[in-house]
Amino acid sequence: MIQDMFLLHLPLLEKILRPLIVYVALIVLLRVFGKRELAQMNPFDLVVLLMLSNTVQNAIIGEDNSISGGLLGAVALLTANYVVVRFVFKHRRLDQLLAGDPTLLMEHGKILHHNLARELMTVTDLRTAVLKQGFKSTDDIDMCILEPGGFFCITPKEGHDGKPDTAQLMRKLEELQKEVRALKKA
């Protein structure tokens, strides 16, 4: 039993190459399928990512379920990621090529529907991103950019301080205080 847990069932080189090949393939696939996968995960995207990890599992470990094989594969993945991140950090042009360009989603307060469509985003997805940043609506936004890493860079319209609505926050706080008082009485 102990021998099965630690004895490698595949050649050492294969245990190292399998995760590296899958790593490179997933990086390329995520780049091809766009920033949206990183930015706004809907239930469909979450299911795909969960299934993706299960799908590539056997490609990574092969027929080897040993602890040693799993740890060796993990070390190979982490080492590859470390090397790639360091290399890309030192070569900005390659970083830009791999990451892609930012996408302008709103300009001068106008939603750029063709760019939303290119990123497979709906107006609802955009509104959700704006709300998460603390704005009331897209009407408060001058410019919105979807960065290559999946983050939204939002510039408020002139006259808007970029901060959440204080009155709305105070109402929410008062509601929470009432709920806490009700729970204490119960």
Side-chain angles (χ1 to χ4, degrees):
M1 181 169 114
I2 298 290
Q3 198 173 24
D4 287 340
M5 288 174 55
F6 295 101
L7 182 66
L8 290 177
H9 301 284
L10 294 173
L12 183 63
L13 184 60
E14 184 177 345
K15 285 303 295 178
I16 294 170
L17 286 177
R18 282 175 168 269
L20 296 180
I21 291 168
V22 172
Y23 175 82
V24 170
L26 287 176
I27 294 291
V28 169
L29 288 170
L30 286 173
R31 171 65 176 98
V32 168
F33 284 98
K35 295 179 282 255
R36 184 187 182 287
E37 297 300 324
L38 303 172
Q40 295 285 349
M41 283 201 351
N42 62 35
F44 304 112
D45 297 329
L46 178 61
V47 169
V48 167
L49 287 176
L50 290 172
M51 291 177 68
L52 185 61
S53 66
N54 194 44
T55 301
V56 299
Q57 176 187 357
N58 290 339
I60 291 174
I61 64 171
E63 296 179 18
D64 185 352
N65 288 325
S66 69
I67 292 173
S68 299
L71 290 175
L72 185 60
V75 167
L77 276 173
L78 291 170
T79 302
N81 191 57
Y82 178 82
V83 169
V84 167
V85 168
R86 286 284 186 198
F87 185 80
V88 169
F89 179 75
K90 291 180 181 180
H91 299 87
R92 290 294 176 190
R93 182 75 179 118
L94 180 61
D95 182 33
Q96 186 179 10
L97 180 68
L98 290 174
D101 296 318
T103 304
L104 189 61
L105 301 177
M106 287 185 70
E107 186 174 36
H108 306 299
K110 302 287 183 209
I111 296 173
L112 304 176
H113 293 278
H114 61 281
N115 286 354
L116 279 177
R118 194 177 79 202
E119 294 297 336
L120 299 176
M121 289 182 64
T122 65
V123 173
T124 302
D125 293 333
L126 178 63
R127 285 189 186 121
T128 301
V130 165
L131 290 173
K132 283 182 180 179
Q133 296 277 340
F135 294 92
K136 288 182 189 177
S137 74
T138 54
D139 295 335
D140 299 330
I141 307 303
D142 179 53
M143 187 181 326
C144 179
I145 300 170
L146 177 58
E147 297 291 339
F151 299 101
F152 292 92
C153 180
I154 297 177
T155 306
K157 283 185 178 174
E158 199 169 310
H160 190 283
D161 61 6
K163 295 179 183 169
D165 180 24
T166 307
Q168 182 184 8
L169 287 175
M170 292 305 295
R171 283 191 298 274
K172 295 273 187 195
L173 183 59
E174 288 172 10
E175 289 174 20
L176 287 172
Q177 287 174 333
K178 287 178 186 177
E179 288 180 29
V180 168
R181 284 188 208 118
L183 287 172
K184 284 183 179 179
K185 290 180 182 178

